[in-house]
Amino acid sequence: MKKISVLIPCHNEEKSLPLLYPELVKLMDSISNYEWELMFVNDGSTDGTLELLRQLRQQDQRVNFVDLSRNFGKEAAMLAGFDYVTGDCMVIIDADLQDPPELIPEMIKWWEQGYEDVYAKRKTRGRESWLRKRLSLMFYRLLQSSSRFDVLQNVGDFRLLDRSCINALRQMRESERYTKGMYSWIGFKKKEIEFDRGNRVAGSSSWSFRQLFSLAIDGITSFTSLPLRISTVVGFIVSMLAFIYMIYVFIKALIWGDPVQGYPSLVILLLFLGGIQLLSLGIIGEYIGRIYNETKNRPDYIVRNFNDEKPL
Ligand code: UDP
Ligand code: MG
């Protein structure tokens, strides 16, 4: 019998889990020709999430939980899940029921037909602020146009991955993780299905604006070095303009004998160039910071316990 794992990263989800679990049980009972495994990753929750997982495991041996030593963020929590799941395929789903479990049977159907990565695309995004929607759109445009891989818009982590994909993702141990890009990078046979994204059933989104922003920067820096090239190009253009301006000033002074009135233009140029230089430095700095982090080669997450026993 084939085994299906469901991976659920959880950060302070004590309010959502009691709603999610019955849904998953309904699903598992309705598709009984598979063996099931629920893999919860407790990503350093500060509420009663862990207690709840313990209780669930006592009633139901299909429930497994990885308890991380602190909050490592969803990307790292998912990697922990990739390492611990044992299924022939894995479905990643949010704990807040924003990803409808009713879609899973359809995913399994496509998987059985040979697709290795069945992902769900949101037709609608659920309740989110206008600004977040706009910024997210802008971000995907930017990433789309600057990298060689399709990083799909309105596609999240809600997907079914075949064992071959899981193994591929497990090899990617970079610490600045942008998993959404990795799904495209690893390739494999993909299938898109659509759904309407609902609202969170309980609790609130754990992503602060700052975290989303830094995820966006991670996304860009880990999949493209275009910003570096942009600073080269801008530098080149500015130098050319400066050169033309210099010739113009020379001609004006030498041929027509115009006295050079320089102060305001000097200040403007100085500020402009200074700004561009700082910007370029900043861009280089972003990459260097990431190089520094990667070279430390630290593990992406630390596990305290697996099912209340010693970790792998
Ligand atoms: N999550 C996590 N660690 C974090 C933040 C979030 O494991 O540091 C989990 C969270 O419990 C949920 C999923 O990631 O299951 C999606 O998080 P959330 O609903 O907050 O994000 P959004 O839906 O707003 O993108
Ligand atoms: Mg959510």
Side-chain angles (χ1 to χ4, degrees):
M1 202 155 53
K2 287 185 190 165
K3 186 172 184 179
I4 300 180
S5 302
V6 182
L7 167 60
I8 310 124
C10 308
H11 177 236
N12 294 346
E13 299 284 5
E14 65 175 358
K15 293 210 189 69
S16 321
L17 287 184
L19 300 166
L20 173 76
Y21 176 70
E23 292 285 325
L24 290 177
V25 169
K26 223 175 13 178
L27 174 87
M28 293 188 295
D29 292 344
S30 70
I31 312 178
S32 47
N33 48 341
Y34 294 99
E35 201 182 324
W36 288 89
E37 169 188 67
L38 301 182
M39 183 64 65
F40 294 88
V41 179
N42 174 35
D43 185 17
S45 301
T46 48
D47 63 358
T49 302
L50 183 63
E51 262 319 300
L52 225 112
L53 292 175
R54 279 201 184 108
Q55 278 169 25
L56 289 181
R57 176 156 173 88
Q58 260 164 25
Q59 311 159 14
D60 185 347
Q61 284 297 307
R62 292 172 296 189
V63 173
N64 294 274
F65 57 94
V66 182
D67 184 26
L68 301 186
S69 62
R70 66 170 169 87
N71 179 254
F72 283 90
K74 187 185 178 189
E75 307 288 321
M78 284 195 298
L79 180 65
F82 299 165
D83 289 341
Y84 276 83
V85 291
T86 56
D88 296 298
C89 73
M90 164 185 73
V91 178
I92 310 173
I93 191 167
D94 281 1
D96 57 8
L97 281 174
Q98 276 192 301
D99 306 329
E102 306 88 72
L103 226 61
I104 296 179
E106 197 188 333
M107 291 179 166
I108 296 172
K109 197 186 80 199
W110 289 113
W111 175 58
E112 286 292 1
Q113 291 183 16
Y115 290 95
E116 291 152 318
D117 177 359
V118 186
Y119 59 87
K121 184 181 166 90
R122 312 169 199 151
K123 276 188 288 181
T124 55
R125 289 177 64 101
R127 195 167 44 233
E128 270 179 317
S129 73
W130 179 84
L131 188 70
R132 183 168 162 179
K133 272 184 203 168
R134 296 296 318 169
L135 286 177
S136 145
L137 193 76
M138 260 170 55
F139 166 69
Y140 281 110
R141 288 243 172 88
L142 189 75
L143 200 58
Q144 189 72 262
S145 57
S146 65
S147 73
R148 282 192 303 128
F149 313 102
D150 277 350
V151 178
L152 296 164
Q153 193 188 330
N154 284 334
V155 175
D157 294 311
F158 184 32
R159 58 179 69 221
L160 182 150
L161 294 166
D162 183 67
R163 179 38 69 180
S164 47
C165 297
I166 306 175
N167 289 342
L169 288 170
R170 287 183 62 189
Q171 290 173 28
M172 304 175 80
R173 314 299 296 194
E174 60 226 61
S175 51
E176 313 285 333
R177 300 185 71 74
Y178 186 68
T179 318
K180 282 195 200 51
M182 295 178 186
Y183 302 129
S184 321
W185 190 91
I186 58 171
F188 289 106
K189 219 168 138 198
K190 297 185 188 301
K191 173 77 194 165
E192 174 175 296
I193 55 180
E194 284 192 325
F195 76 111
D196 287 304
R197 185 159 163 98
N199 296 321
R200 229 175 198 286
V201 278
S204 58
S205 172
S206 307
W207 295 88
S208 67
F209 196 74
R210 215 192 66 218
Q211 282 171 315
L212 279 175
F213 184 72
S214 95
L215 183 70
I217 300 277
D218 279 347
I220 292 173
T221 50
S222 60
F223 277 90
T224 165
S225 49
L226 187 77
L228 290 172
R229 184 152 317 147
I230 291 177
S231 46
T232 317
V233 172
V234 170
F236 183 73
I237 293 173
V238 168
S239 318
M240 288 305 286
L241 290 179
F243 186 71
I244 294 169
Y245 184 62
M246 184 187 78
I247 291 179
Y248 165 75
V249 168
F250 265 134
I251 291 175
K252 230 170 88 170
L254 292 178
I255 299 185
W256 288 294
D258 251 6
V260 183
Q261 290 172 354
Y263 186 68
S265 47
L266 210 67
V267 170
I268 291 169
L269 276 181
L270 220 70
L271 289 179
F272 180 63
L273 282 180
I276 290 198
Q277 279 168 8
L278 284 181
L279 188 77
S280 313
L281 269 182
I283 293 174
I284 296 174
E286 287 288 341
Y287 284 91
I288 293 185
R290 278 169 178 75
I291 295 172
Y292 174 59
N293 270 341
E294 295 298 347
T295 51
K296 280 194 279 194
N297 222 343
R298 292 189 181 166
D300 292 308
Y301 60 86
I302 304 282
V303 179
R304 179 185 292 123
N305 276 321
F306 175 57
N307 289 341
D308 276 335
E309 285 155 27
K310 266 213 180 68
L312 287 178

